Amino acid sequence: MSTTTVAIASDHAGYPLKETLKAELRRLGVDVLDLGTDGLESVDYPDFADKLAHVVKDGKAGRGVLVCGTGIGIAIAANRHRHLRAAVCHDATSTRLARQHNDANVLAVGGRLVGEETAKECLRVFLETPFEGGRHARRIGKMG
Ligand code: RB5
C-alpha cells in the first residue's frame, strides 16, 4: 500500500501537461506512477481514468492526477468509480476547496484550458491541503 505515491494519467489532449506535472511531482520528491498515455496519438480518456482507479483501489497509489483537454471528461469517467472523488480544478482556490471540503483524491486538470504555472500551483495545493473533516465528512459519507 502506498499512500504517498501519486498516479498520473491523461489522454492525448492532456499529454503535454501530464509530462509537466509529472516533472513537478518528481521535483517535489513525490513518487510518481505514470499510467500513460505516452504521446499525442488519439486515445479515449475513460481508459486512462479506469487505469488510475485500479491502481488506487489496489493501493499502489494514494492519490491521482488526471489530465484531458478540459479535465471534465476524464473526471466524469473517474467518478464512475465510487472510491474516487475527482475534482476539476482551474486555480488554487478551487483546488484548496476540493481538498478542504470534498477530500478530493484525484485532481483533474484541463490541458487545453489551464496554463502550466497555474496547473503546477494546483498540484502543489492539492498535495499540501488537508481535508477539514467535520460536517464535510458526513456529506462525503452519504456518497460512499
Ligand atoms: C479530446 O479531444 C477531448 O474531447 C478530451 O480530452 C476531453 O477534453 C474531454 O472531456
Side-chain angles (χ1 to χ4, degrees):
M1 167 87 175
S2 175
T3 53
T4 53
T5 297
V6 173
I8 191 165
S10 73
D11 70 356
H12 55 290
Y15 171 72
L17 185 60
K18 172 176 74 75
E19 293 301 298
T20 298
L21 295 179
K22 183 170 69 175
E24 180 67 0
L25 284 164
R26 288 186 172 146
R27 189 187 73 76
L28 294 168
V30 176
D31 290 334
V32 188
L33 185 56
D34 184 355
L35 304 172
T37 189
D38 300 319
L40 297 173
E41 189 182 332
S42 184
V43 292
D44 298 333
Y45 57 80
D47 298 335
F48 293 88
D50 288 350
K51 282 186 187 204
L52 189 133
H54 289 134
V55 299
V56 172
K57 189 152 211 168
D58 291 348
K60 292 178 183 151
R63 289 192 197 178
V65 176
L66 290 171
V67 192
C68 67
T70 59
I72 296 170
I74 206 160
I76 291 172
N79 283 321
R80 301 294 294 264
H81 299 272
R82 294 181 77 89
H83 64 292
L84 298 185
R85 289 176 303 283
V88 184
C89 297
H90 296 99
D91 53 27
T93 302
S94 52
T95 309
R96 178 175 55 77
L97 288 166
R99 286 290 312 133
Q100 289 177 327
H101 289 196
N102 310 115
D103 198 18
N105 57 4
V106 176
L107 171 68
V109 188
R112 289 174 175 164
L113 302 181
V114 179
E116 278 194 5
E117 290 307 316
T118 300
K120 286 194 282 185
E121 186 181 20
C122 290
L123 178 63
R124 290 191 295 271
V125 170
F126 176 66
L127 296 174
E128 291 165 3
T129 307
F131 177 47
E132 282 184 357
R135 67 189 188 281
H136 304 298
R138 183 181 70 241
R139 292 161 186 166
I140 286 169
K142 292 187 175 185
M143 296 189 281

